Amino acid sequence: MAETIKYLLDESRIPKAWYNIMADLPSPPPPVLHPGTMKPVGPDDLAPLFPLSLIMQEVTAEREVEIPEPVREIYKLWRPSPLYRARRLERALDTPARIYYKYEGVSPAGSHKPNTAVAQAYYNREAGIKRITTETGAGQWGSALAFAGTLFGIDVQVFMVRVSYDQKPYRRALMETYGARCVPSPSNETQSGRAILARNEKHPGSLGIAISEAVEVAASRDDTKYALGSVLNHVLLHQTVIGQEAMAQLELANDYPDVIIGCTGGGSNFAGIVFPFLGAQLRGGRKVRIVAIEPAACPSLTRGKYAYDFGDTAHLTPHAKMYTLGSTFTPPGFHAGGLRYHGMAPLVSHIKELGLIEARAYHQIKCFEAGVEFARAEGILPAPEANHAVRAAIDEALKCKEEGVSRAILFNLCGHGHFDMQAYIDYFAGKLSDQDYDEAELAMALSGLPSVKAA
Amino acid sequence: MAETIKYLLDESRIPKAWYNIMADLPSPPPPVLHPGTMKPVGPDDLAPLFPLSLIMQEVTAEREVEIPEPVREIYKLWRPSPLYRARRLERALDTPARIYYKYEGVSPAGSHKPNTAVAQAYYNREAGIKRITTETGAGQWGSALAFAGTLFGIDVQVFMVRVSYDQKPYRRALMETYGARCVPSPSNETQSGRAILARNEKHPGSLGIAISEAVEVAASRDDTKYALGSVLNHVLLHQTVIGQEAMAQLELANDYPDVIIGCTGGGSNFAGIVFPFLGAQLRGGRKVRIVAIEPAACPSLTRGKYAYDFGDTAHLTPHAKMYTLGSTFTPPGFHAGGLRYHGMAPLVSHIKELGLIEARAYHQIKCFEAGVEFARAEGILPAPEANHAVRAAIDEALKCKEEGVSRAILFNLCGHGHFDMQAYIDYFAGKLSDQDYDEAELAMALSGLPSVKAA
């Protein structure tokens, strides 16, 4: 058998529609509620923040949502992304398992995030929007939106958590090279920012504060909208190009996954690879085990509560029913910044509640161990977030070896680690810790859930 | 016309042979001389450093050198690399030019360097070699060899110029993640290193010293060889996969370049894209203008002397006839670390002397300006070295606009800038300088050339 097995698709095979799992679910997810009225939110409630086309995608029940040609044109820069059979890793593990990985790090911004950033920038431009605001922590989402913005001629303003802004100048430089304006948050540019700075002018910032600032700016100007990089239905929808391509590529391989693995922060890369396969199963196709991997330091799916909660810390967003650790929950420090979210996408939470997927939490050190093993065997250096999926894939492959069975394992390698080398340096220096979240902190955050407070 | 035009080849189209321009040159390049005897070096002189198969490639006159299947297998991880038509850049420039770029940043190490690193690691493994030593400045070559080493199970020891070792921890971390051992040079591990440290224990190091250390270790042990990332004939040979693929891709585009542009440091990425086209011309095919772009701060082709010189500062290597600034020449600081070499590949120097190519020198600031313009139009962030080629391609395209003619411009985008973000930060902060080399320094270095001294 060949040493390198890469399944490529012609660019005519870039999907022509996103796949909407809503159409195939046995029951719809609970509605998103307006925090004032506690009634389901309507398009008007969201119109200050998003163009109507995206609001409609948020609630549509159509199975297929057509991908506009200008979006497919930009996808062509890097899509279809490759699917690899990890032959060298299989040999290093001496496993009978067949390990496949879909590699999304080939996008110019280095992760799966441009799949939705490009779509969101397109719909905003079609709606005549001149500027998009967003927040970013580690910077992967911010750089994806900056990339999409420059290609569609839309100004992008990124509120970057101040501590990251200071500590991660390279991600910031990438955004600025794409022409985005990057502002450390809390900033003097918004009321919410100024209020926080008035109390503490050296405030390190948080994702919650950055969201509030981005939302405030978008809501206050007609030519400006807001964009989110995960969690929402339309974001997950845009990521389904990943799974659809993987399905076609596995057909070339004459194979079908027994288990699919993705890491979960807000849930979008996981949904992207999983939903097309899960949809096929729900329509009577082959059953597949699906495993979500989250960080043990921020374990919404395995330790959170399935309840209505705010999406942000500052409580400007609607209530969504989701697995949540409480919107005030602060996880201890760990390197997979993309997985530091207190909640889980409502759609992913719903399918977990329906028993359609499993979830597992991993500590970071053994994830980096797996990432290094992967890099040495396959030659690609994964992002810290992706290392969670790598760890789980290796564990599944080792189980195959133990049991003497060959199963097909598919995982999403959602991004490369070129901008995360400090994490690898810390790993090699033995400076990473597997600190758990604080149980009292979690209890406190959960006691603050709107439903608990209302009861 | 489509917005994104990407020419892909099936992996069966990865070249089966490297192209050797020696076979088509009107005259061979002058021989490499032994510094003691001043007679042409033979295989025995080079045997302590390189496996015989590579020494034979250094001198072969065969037009085609078969690429071993295990090398092609690893090439498949990222090859054939894409050729893009830069439609968005053309539109931004409002030029009638047709701009094409071959993108080598898709390799796992992020540049064209793995094309030869993989080949060199393979031939060393076939010769039973357990360890390869090399030097690296900015780290692009070191990380490519580390990548190749891990895939072939060969230990890699990289002597990294101490000032880079301290200032560029992320490239170092990449090499270590691939399992290479990275040693700051001058080190205590070699005689040459210890001699320098004895005089100055805080010596910042230089590429010349690092070469001496790597060569010393390789020469002193039977199981260890040395590898070079540019300059030598066999290195340029391995890079010809770039131009061969580009040729096939332009055939798909029904086009042929009027001008081909590459940046030149040691000359390998330039030779890689240029030689197959130049060979076709020499065999009676269409004539194409070929332009080498070098940094104004280290301008071997435009300001150097065509003379016999040492390849290293410590004068351990044979004499090669090349355009050189003198082996003791120290360029002022600039960000394209991969272009900081005092000499030029003998083969590239020879074709320059034959009048087959032009050369131009650019200052760095306008190269970064071009790189940012490119990133904003095309979405890919180029390495500082590649920005030199981008600048020249844009200038050629603007000339087309001025003249109202449509010419086909092909350039090699030899790597991405993910590990060079500090350079972009300095550019945006206005901290880059266009400092020229010192004329007295150049005169001094040229007066030290072996031929000048002998005369």
Side-chain angles (χ1 to χ4, degrees):
Chain A
M1 185 187 274
E3 288 290 293
T4 301
I5 310 182
K6 180 174 65 167
Y7 297 99
L8 288 177
L9 298 171
D10 190 80
E11 60 189 24
S12 68
R13 303 290 298 278
I14 294 173
K16 298 204 166 49
W18 293 298
Y19 165 67
N20 180 16
I21 199 166
M22 296 272 216
D24 292 314
L25 287 176
S27 65
V32 171
L33 304 180
H34 189 287
T37 62
M38 294 303 271
K39 297 219 162 95
V41 297
D44 287 353
D45 298 312
L46 299 172
L49 296 185
F50 304 105
L52 191 63
S53 43
L54 289 175
I55 296 172
M56 290 295 111
Q57 289 185 2
E58 194 62 20
V59 294
T60 181
E62 292 292 316
R63 181 172 288 123
E64 299 201 328
V65 175
E66 192 188 339
I67 304 177
E69 205 42 45
V71 172
R72 291 184 78 242
E73 278 294 323
I74 294 185
Y75 280 174
K76 283 184 196 168
L77 284 173
W78 72 97
R79 305 209 70 86
S81 66
L83 178 87
Y84 290 95
R85 169 95 182 257
R87 285 292 295 155
R88 295 181 180 84
L89 180 63
E90 291 170 14
R91 207 167 41 232
L93 298 172
D94 188 24
T95 173
R98 306 176 316 274
I99 307 177
Y100 298 91
Y101 60 98
K102 180 75 169 162
Y103 184 39
E104 290 292 307
V106 290
S107 82
S111 77
H112 66 293
K113 294 286 187 190
N115 295 332
T116 184
V118 168
Q120 293 191 53
Y122 166 77
Y123 287 114
N124 273 285
R125 190 194 64 178
E126 288 305 286
I129 296 307
K130 304 283 180 237
R131 193 164 62 142
I132 304 178
T133 63
T134 197
E135 73 289 329
T136 204
Q140 215 166 45
W141 165 242
S143 49
L145 193 66
F147 159 78
T150 187
L151 296 184
F152 282 114
I154 292 185
D155 286 342
V156 171
Q157 181 172 4
V158 182
F159 288 93
M160 188 171 187
V161 176
R162 183 183 292 273
V163 59
S164 298
Y165 183 93
D166 292 335
Q167 284 172 2
K168 305 202 169 185
Y170 292 172
R171 270 280 175 199
R172 169 158 56 97
L174 180 59
M175 294 182 243
E176 288 171 353
T177 304
Y178 285 140
R181 198 161 79 82
C182 204
V183 180
S185 166
S187 79
N188 269 314
E189 304 196 8
T190 66
Q191 234 173 339
S192 25
R194 285 190 295 271
I196 286 160
L197 290 175
R199 291 197 300 274
N200 176 4
E201 66 178 23
K202 290 189 188 308
H203 196 290
S206 74
L207 215 45
I209 294 167
I211 295 179
S212 307
E213 292 205 275
V215 163
E216 186 186 320
V217 171
S220 66
R221 290 179 55 146
D222 278 352
D223 66 349
T224 302
K225 299 282 179 196
Y226 168 74
L228 195 65
S230 189
V231 179
L232 299 180
N233 299 347
H234 70 270
V235 179
L236 275 52
L237 176 78
H238 300 154
Q239 294 295 353
T240 58
V241 289
I242 304 173
Q244 291 183 69
E245 286 179 8
M247 222 168 203
Q249 288 163 313
L250 282 168
E251 229 169 81
L252 294 180
N254 253 319
D255 212 339
Y256 201 84
D258 295 298
V259 54
I260 307 178
I261 293 163
C263 63
T264 47
S268 78
N269 100 73
F270 173 80
I273 193 150
V274 158
F275 282 4
F277 290 93
L278 181 56
Q281 171 184 324
L282 291 169
R283 293 193 303 278
R286 191 166 146 183
K287 193 168 158 36
V288 54
R289 250 183 86 212
I290 296 172
V291 189
I293 309 294
E294 59 185 11
C298 194
S300 57
L301 278 172
T302 54
R303 301 298 307 274
K305 208 172 146 149
Y306 187 54
Y308 272 104
D309 196 6
F310 288 100
D312 70 323
T313 321
H315 296 182
L316 297 177
T317 67
H319 288 185
K321 191 154 187 189
M322 57 183 177
Y323 277 91
T324 177
L325 301 162
S327 64
T328 62
F329 176 78
T330 307
F334 62 98
H335 270 293
L339 308 181
R340 285 180 71 85
Y341 187 63
H342 69 275
M344 179 51 58
L347 264 176
V348 173
S349 298
H350 183 58
I351 61 170
K352 171 72 165 51
E353 195 61 13
L354 290 172
L356 296 170
I357 63 170
E358 304 167 27
R360 280 209 294 268
Y362 279 153
H363 283 104
Q364 67 176 347
I365 293 176
K366 67 178 186 179
C367 295
F368 276 94
E369 194 182 286
V372 170
E373 185 164 13
F374 181 86
R376 289 181 184 177
E378 295 291 313
I380 295 170
L381 183 94
E385 292 81 3
N387 281 343
H388 288 74
V390 175
R391 173 77 271 165
I394 290 180
D395 286 354
E396 288 291 332
L398 292 175
K399 209 165 73 181
C400 286
K401 181 180 177 179
E402 226 177 86
E403 298 172 7
V405 292
S406 171
R407 279 189 287 264
I409 300 165
L410 168 66
F411 74 97
N412 195 24
L413 191 69
C414 59
H416 64 59
H418 300 172
F419 292 92
D420 306 286
M421 295 313 298
Q422 190 58 49
Y424 281 89
I425 291 175
D426 291 349
Y427 167 71
F428 285 117
K431 284 187 190 160
L432 289 192
S433 101
D434 276 344
Q435 197 191 332
D436 266 312
Y437 62 87
D438 187 276
E439 289 284 357
E441 156 95 25
L442 176 59
M444 171 79 88
L446 289 175
S447 73
L449 286 177
S451 56
V452 175
K453 278 165 78 178
Chain B
M1 186 187 272
E3 289 290 291
T4 301
I5 310 182
K6 180 174 66 169
Y7 298 98
L8 288 176
L9 298 171
D10 191 79
E11 60 190 22
S12 68
R13 304 289 298 278
I14 295 172
K16 297 203 165 51
W18 292 298
Y19 165 68
N20 180 16
I21 199 165
M22 296 273 216
D24 293 314
L25 286 175
S27 66
V32 171
L33 304 181
H34 189 287
T37 63
M38 293 303 271
K39 297 219 164 94
V41 296
D44 288 353
D45 297 311
L46 299 171
L49 294 186
F50 303 106
L52 191 63
S53 43
L54 289 175
I55 295 171
M56 290 296 111
Q57 289 185 1
E58 195 62 20
V59 295
T60 181
E62 293 290 318
R63 181 172 289 123
E64 300 202 327
V65 175
E66 192 189 339
I67 305 177
E69 205 42 47
V71 172
R72 291 184 79 245
E73 279 293 323
I74 293 184
Y75 280 174
K76 283 185 196 169
L77 283 173
W78 73 96
R79 304 209 72 85
S81 66
L83 178 87
Y84 290 94
R85 168 95 182 257
R87 284 293 295 155
R88 294 181 181 83
L89 180 64
E90 290 170 15
R91 206 168 40 233
L93 299 171
D94 188 25
T95 174
R98 308 179 311 278
I99 309 176
Y100 298 91
Y101 59 98
K102 181 76 170 162
Y103 184 40
E104 290 291 307
V106 291
S107 82
S111 78
H112 65 293
K113 293 286 187 189
N115 294 332
T116 184
V118 168
Q120 293 191 53
Y122 166 76
Y123 288 113
N124 274 285
R125 191 195 65 178
E126 289 305 286
I129 296 307
K130 304 283 180 238
R131 192 164 61 143
I132 304 178
T133 63
T134 197
E135 71 290 327
T136 205
Q140 215 167 45
W141 166 242
S143 48
L145 193 66
F147 158 79
T150 186
L151 296 184
F152 281 114
I154 291 184
D155 286 342
V156 172
Q157 182 172 4
V158 182
F159 288 93
M160 186 170 188
V161 176
R162 183 183 292 273
V163 60
S164 298
Y165 183 92
D166 291 336
Q167 283 172 3
K168 305 202 169 186
Y170 293 172
R171 270 280 175 200
R172 168 160 55 97
L174 180 59
M175 293 183 242
E176 289 172 351
T177 304
Y178 285 140
R181 198 160 80 82
C182 204
V183 180
S185 164
S187 79
N188 268 315
E189 303 196 6
T190 66
Q191 233 170 342
S192 24
R194 282 189 297 271
I196 287 161
L197 289 176
R199 291 196 300 274
N200 175 5
E201 65 177 25
K202 291 189 189 307
H203 196 290
S206 74
L207 215 45
I209 295 168
I211 295 179
S212 307
E213 292 206 274
V215 164
E216 184 185 322
V217 171
S220 67
R221 291 179 53 148
D222 279 351
D223 65 350
T224 301
K225 298 282 178 197
Y226 168 73
L228 195 64
S230 191
V231 179
L232 299 180
N233 298 349
H234 69 270
V235 179
L236 275 53
L237 176 79
H238 300 154
Q239 294 295 353
T240 58
V241 288
I242 303 173
Q244 291 185 70
E245 286 179 7
M247 222 167 203
Q249 287 164 315
L250 282 169
E251 229 169 83
L252 293 180
N254 254 319
D255 212 340
Y256 200 85
D258 296 298
V259 52
I260 307 178
I261 293 163
C263 63
T264 46
S268 78
N269 99 75
F270 173 81
I273 193 150
V274 158
F275 282 4
F277 290 92
L278 181 57
Q281 171 185 324
L282 291 168
R283 292 192 304 277
R286 192 166 144 183
K287 191 168 158 40
V288 54
R289 249 184 86 214
I290 296 171
V291 190
I293 309 295
E294 59 184 12
C298 193
S300 56
L301 278 172
T302 54
R303 302 298 308 273
K305 206 173 148 148
Y306 187 53
Y308 272 102
D309 195 7
F310 288 100
D312 70 324
T313 320
H315 296 182
L316 298 177
T317 67
H319 289 186
K321 191 154 187 190
M322 57 183 177
Y323 277 92
T324 177
L325 301 162
S327 64
T328 62
F329 176 78
T330 307
F334 61 98
H335 270 292
L339 308 181
R340 286 180 71 84
Y341 186 63
H342 70 275
M344 179 51 57
L347 264 176
V348 173
S349 298
H350 183 58
I351 60 169
K352 170 73 165 52
E353 195 61 12
L354 291 172
L356 297 169
I357 64 171
E358 305 166 27
R360 280 210 294 269
Y362 278 153
H363 283 105
Q364 67 177 348
I365 294 177
K366 66 178 185 179
C367 295
F368 276 93
E369 194 181 286
V372 170
E373 184 164 14
F374 181 85
R376 289 182 185 175
E378 294 291 313
I380 295 171
L381 184 95
E385 292 81 2
N387 281 343
H388 288 73
V390 175
R391 173 78 269 165
I394 289 180
D395 286 354
E396 288 292 332
L398 291 175
K399 210 166 72 180
C400 286
K401 181 180 174 178
E402 227 175 84
E403 299 173 6
V405 293
S406 172
R407 280 190 286 264
I409 300 164
L410 168 66
F411 73 97
N412 195 24
L413 190 69
C414 59
H416 63 60
H418 298 173
F419 291 92
D420 306 286
M421 295 314 298
Q422 190 59 49
Y424 281 89
I425 292 176
D426 291 349
Y427 167 71
F428 284 117
K431 284 187 190 160
L432 289 192
S433 100
D434 275 345
Q435 198 191 333
D436 265 314
Y437 62 88
D438 187 277
E439 290 284 359
E441 156 94 27
L442 175 60
M444 170 80 87
L446 288 175
S447 73
L449 286 177
S451 55
V452 175
K453 280 165 77 176

